[in-house]
Amino acid sequence: MHNPGRTRLPLALVATLLCLMASQATALPMRIAVLEFANASSDKGLQSLGKGLQSMLTTDLSKVRALSLIERGRLQAILAEQKLGASGHVDTKTAARIGKLAGASHLLAGTYTVHGAKMRLDGRLFAVEGGRVLLAEAITGEKDAFFELEKSLVRKLIKTLGVKLKPKERAGISRIHTADFAAFKRFSGGVAHFDAKRYEKALAAMRAAMKIDAEFKLARVTLGQYEQVIARIRAKADSLVAQRLIAIAREKGDAKQPRRLAA
């Protein structure tokens, strides 16, 4: 029986509304976790390059509005909790586990190989749900043109994800961080030192990278971030030392000493 108080929507309008709801659901940012790339070279002096590549890839992908990037610090904490090394040799099961813990929809892992004047990047993009490999790409080129290999991997990854870039986004991911391999190596070493809590060496390495390439914006931004973090760590350490000295003075019954220390 027809209820005159109830308005029925036309089927065409219902279909349109459903399509809009579906498009809004699919428009939600994909959450990408970029793991540190592993060194597949025999030269252990290049061990830190994986951290530099991870930072550059994350920075480039963060310029794409449709993508949301998982922070490096969170990934490091998860890898430590799961007792997983920073290895680019990730299988589908491990990728699904790391991705779910990080709250990611996709995970990028890989390796790099430097042999003489040649360099190769091997990247694999996993769908966290089910652990399927969506992209397995090997990119080879000149070591001194490492930045071209990194940009090529970024573009292939974005294409695989089905993201259509806007002009501003295309310009953003096309900007080269540095075209100097020595600066790239210093930058990567700085990230490695910071992760290992060798703070003075981290700052020195970042400054050295900027000295080699004054236009290395990522190194300058990273240096600023490190300086802020280190300043907070030192301030907290100084506060703890002061509190401990006051406590010791009180234990000794010196009533005047705490006031002098506090001042």
Side-chain angles (χ1 to χ4, degrees):
M1 182 176 178
H2 176 65
N3 186 348
R6 179 180 296 174
T7 303
R8 289 187 177 182
L9 294 173
L11 290 178
L13 180 57
V14 171
T16 302
L17 289 172
L18 289 173
C19 287
L20 285 172
M21 291 171 65
S23 64
Q24 287 177 350
T26 56
L28 292 174
M30 289 175 275
R31 293 178 59 78
I32 314 298
V34 180
L35 296 185
E36 176 186 331
F37 275 42
N39 183 15
S41 309
S42 57
D43 187 352
K44 300 307 176 185
L46 302 175
Q47 198 71 28
S48 64
L49 294 187
K51 291 181 180 291
L53 283 169
Q54 179 190 31
S55 181
M56 289 181 175
L57 288 164
T58 300
T59 300
D60 285 347
L61 293 172
S62 68
K63 298 184 188 309
V64 181
R65 190 173 180 180
L67 307 179
S68 176
L69 278 295
I70 306 298
E71 293 182 357
R72 282 188 71 250
R74 175 158 175 72
L75 288 174
Q76 285 180 304
I78 291 171
L79 292 173
E81 288 173 3
Q82 298 296 308
K83 297 181 179 179
L84 297 169
S87 171
H89 303 286
V90 177
D91 58 24
T92 55
K93 185 178 179 181
T94 305
R97 179 160 48 125
I98 297 172
K100 286 177 181 177
L101 288 171
S105 59
H106 298 79
L107 183 141
L108 176 66
T111 63
Y112 59 94
T113 308
V114 177
H115 183 71
K118 294 290 185 180
M119 184 172 184
R120 169 172 163 162
L121 294 184
D122 287 273
R124 290 205 295 171
L125 178 67
F126 297 86
V128 171
E129 190 63 40
R132 291 182 300 113
V133 177
L134 303 178
L135 173 71
E137 192 71 29
I139 306 169
T140 303
E142 299 296 323
K143 180 190 77 172
D144 289 338
F146 65 94
F147 51 91
E148 293 179 353
L149 308 184
E150 186 264 341
K151 295 297 183 186
S152 178
L153 181 57
V154 168
R155 287 191 290 269
K156 289 179 183 295
L157 187 147
I158 290 172
K159 183 178 180 181
T160 300
L161 292 172
V163 176
K164 186 175 181 181
L165 296 176
K166 295 181 179 179
K168 187 175 181 180
E169 292 172 328
R170 285 202 303 271
I173 67 170
S174 296
R175 292 191 188 98
I176 295 171
H177 298 290
T178 182
D180 192 299
F181 188 82
F184 169 49
K185 188 176 178 181
R186 288 280 191 169
F187 169 79
S188 302
V191 179
H193 284 310
F194 186 84
D195 287 349
K197 296 181 171 58
R198 297 187 291 265
Y199 298 129
E200 289 301 327
K201 289 185 177 181
L203 297 179
M206 285 297 165
R207 290 178 183 129
M210 291 170 58
K211 188 174 182 179
I212 295 170
D213 183 358
E215 302 300 319
F216 197 167
K217 182 180 177 181
L218 181 57
R220 184 169 66 253
V221 171
T222 304
L223 173 63
Q225 293 172 343
Y226 285 0
E227 287 175 335
Q228 290 178 6
V229 172
I230 293 168
R232 288 197 296 268
I233 291 172
R234 286 174 175 166
K236 185 177 180 180
D238 290 343
S239 176
L240 291 172
V241 169
Q243 290 175 26
R244 181 57 182 158
L245 289 173
I246 292 172
I248 291 172
R250 284 174 175 165
E251 288 172 3
K252 291 182 178 180
D254 187 346
K256 297 181 180 179
Q257 185 69 9
R259 285 197 293 273
R260 288 200 297 271
L261 289 172

